[in-house]
Amino acid sequence: MASKAEIAALKDEVYEACVPIAQDNPRIVLRQADILDLDIIPNGNLQTLLDVAQSLLNEKLFKVVHDTDGMGWKLRTVDEAKKYRALSVEQEAVYSLIDEAGDEGIWSKTIKAKTNLHDSTFTSCIKHLSSKSMISEMKSVEHPTRKMYIKSSLSPSDRATGGPWYTDGELDEEFINAAMTLLFDYISMRTFYRSKSALREAQKSPKKVVRKMSPEQVKEAKALRNEGLGPRGVEAGQMDERTAKRMKYESMLPMPAGYQGYPGLNELTLFVEDSRAFTQILTANDIQALLDIMCFDDRIEKVIAGAEGVSYKALRKSLLDEDQRSSVLTEAPCGRCPVFDLCEEGGPVGPSNCEYFADWLSM
């Protein structure tokens, strides 16, 4: 049987050998076979191994872990072990649960249930750990009303904070919309080309058929029309915003079949980073989340093309506003004209002299 001095020496040797293993894989669970494979325990004596492991546990350098493969040990750093040795039994129980929770944090109610501590004892432990800057409170966007705790040396995970999309625990819709607009504009630029001939064709004004009406009829028809459709916002020869967007839509044509220049995820991630439009750093996973949203919104779609294999192209209908994407029937002013029943050739209002109908046909 090994002496206490031999156990102490073996303990230090085993710990030093385990440190690089834990550094390579912080989540590794060491088993009995792993310790014996280090070739430090004389003759692979199991009793000596147990004594060494117990000594490491007593000094808080090892902690016991139970999983599907049975019992094992995880390594603690020397500094972390010093913190554990300075705690009482109750404080250690609370701190170990917060430690095990990692960057996800843990709910105070969960700690109470697992430690079975009285409220006053639990509160005392929390105060002591907080005063030593060992733990701190955290907010979780998943559970905003819960009191959560995390190790002070850790930063909350993206799952807990909501990642870059949350500011002070609130969803930052303005930032999300700005990021999606930046991505969509770049994808559109790589999806369409502007046709000058199509633009000239869209700018052509159709021939108007003017039917003579009495001043009273004109005044009455315009009053009724303006009441339902609103007064005309632009003078003759000028272009309103709706018409300008329609003309831009008509002039933007998709790239030909077989085009391979659509941007992929890596290119879009690099573009956002190089643009320096935001102070937050958006990872490829963050960009992917935005692209998925735009796919669901029918603004873009995935295509099998480009150097990355999977790329994204803008849908042409996304160049229009929501109210302009409706059917031809609902787009026509006739569908919401308040004097529709009076509309006929020879009457006070007719298709041949309707200013709104002419504007709609010219879009």
Side-chain angles (χ1 to χ4, degrees):
M1 184 174 178
S3 65
K4 289 185 178 180
E6 289 174 329
I7 295 296
L10 290 172
K11 175 205 69 178
D12 293 337
E13 199 174 344
V14 168
Y15 182 78
E16 291 299 327
C18 291
V19 167
I21 300 175
Q23 287 176 340
D24 291 339
N25 182 8
R27 296 187 177 183
I28 191 170
V29 177
L30 299 168
R31 310 289 176 182
Q32 176 178 299
D34 298 324
I35 305 298
L36 292 175
D37 288 342
L38 296 174
D39 250 353
I40 296 174
I41 305 298
N43 301 320
N45 187 285
L46 292 181
Q47 184 58 51
T48 303
L49 170 61
L50 291 176
D51 291 339
V52 169
Q54 187 60 52
S55 179
L56 288 165
L57 287 169
N58 292 340
E59 294 194 22
K60 311 300 181 184
L61 292 168
F62 267 14
K63 63 177 177 180
V64 176
V65 176
H66 296 276
D67 56 18
T68 54
D69 295 327
M71 190 199 79
W73 302 282
K74 273 191 175 183
L75 216 64
R76 287 195 182 107
T77 65
V78 173
D79 291 338
E80 192 69 17
K82 286 180 181 178
K83 293 179 181 179
Y84 271 92
R85 289 198 294 269
L87 300 176
S88 66
V89 176
E90 294 82 4
Q91 292 165 355
E92 181 182 345
V94 172
Y95 184 66
S96 63
L97 288 174
I98 298 174
D99 187 6
E100 290 171 9
D103 58 6
E104 294 292 333
I106 186 169
W107 187 19
S108 59
K109 191 173 182 179
T110 303
I111 301 174
K112 289 181 184 179
K114 289 187 175 182
T115 58
N116 200 27
L117 293 175
H118 190 273
D119 285 349
S120 60
T121 306
F122 172 77
T123 303
S124 176
C125 293
I126 291 294
K127 284 184 179 180
H128 176 80
L129 295 171
S130 298
S131 67
K132 297 295 183 181
S133 299
M134 296 174 67
I135 64 170
S136 57
E137 286 191 34
M138 63 167 278
K139 290 184 178 180
S140 171
V141 296
E142 287 187 313
H143 311 291
T145 59
R146 294 184 179 181
K147 182 172 283 190
M148 309 281 289
Y149 292 97
I150 189 173
K151 283 178 66 177
S152 297
S153 58
L154 298 178
S155 297
S157 65
D158 286 346
R159 179 182 173 185
T161 62
W165 316 126
Y166 282 78
T167 302
D168 297 329
E170 297 291 335
L171 184 64
D172 194 342
E173 295 185 14
E174 185 178 348
F175 170 58
I176 294 173
N177 291 332
M180 286 198 294
T181 299
L182 182 67
L183 286 169
F184 179 75
D185 289 345
Y186 183 77
I187 296 172
S188 296
M189 182 181 69
R190 300 286 297 277
T191 302
F192 306 107
Y193 70 94
R194 182 178 286 263
S195 171
K196 293 182 179 179
S197 60
L199 182 61
R200 286 195 298 270
E201 189 67 27
Q203 289 174 334
K204 290 182 180 179
S205 299
K207 294 181 180 179
K208 292 184 178 181
V209 180
V210 181
R211 187 178 184 86
K212 290 185 178 181
M213 300 172 62
S214 66
E216 291 77 11
Q217 289 176 323
V218 173
K219 187 175 181 180
E220 179 185 357
K222 283 187 176 181
L224 289 171
R225 187 183 298 127
N226 291 342
E227 182 181 347
L229 299 179
R232 303 190 68 189
V234 294
E235 299 294 333
Q238 293 182 343
M239 188 187 305
D240 61 14
E241 184 180 357
R242 183 185 177 90
T243 304
K245 286 184 177 180
R246 171 62 73 168
M247 290 176 63
K248 179 183 177 182
Y249 169 79
E250 296 294 346
S251 66
M252 300 298 285
L253 301 180
M255 293 295 184
Y259 175 69
Q260 296 293 313
Y262 300 116
L265 175 61
N266 293 335
E267 181 182 343
L268 290 168
T269 303
L270 187 61
F271 162 71
V272 173
E273 183 178 344
D274 291 341
S275 70
R276 298 183 179 178
F278 313 112
T279 56
Q280 297 95 326
I281 296 177
L282 298 180
T283 65
N285 288 336
D286 297 329
I287 299 298
Q288 184 65 67
L290 295 177
L291 293 173
D292 290 341
I293 292 173
M294 288 194 285
C295 285
F296 296 146
D297 289 343
D298 280 340
R299 299 180 68 187
I300 63 173
E301 66 177 355
K302 284 185 180 180
V303 291
I304 306 301
E308 298 180 35
V310 176
S311 302
Y312 295 87
K313 62 179 289 189
L315 297 177
R316 195 161 180 253
K317 64 181 181 180
S318 61
L319 297 175
L320 296 174
D321 292 334
E322 286 290 340
D323 62 335
Q324 292 179 291
R325 299 183 199 176
S326 51
S327 65
V328 174
L329 180 62
T330 55
E331 282 184 355
C334 306
R336 50 198 175 93
C337 182
V339 291
F340 180 78
D341 293 338
L342 303 177
C343 184
E344 61 179 351
E345 289 298 331
V349 180
S352 60
N353 58 21
C354 178
E355 297 174 353
Y356 294 94
F357 196 59
D359 287 346
W360 177 69
L361 288 175
S362 68
M363 290 182 182

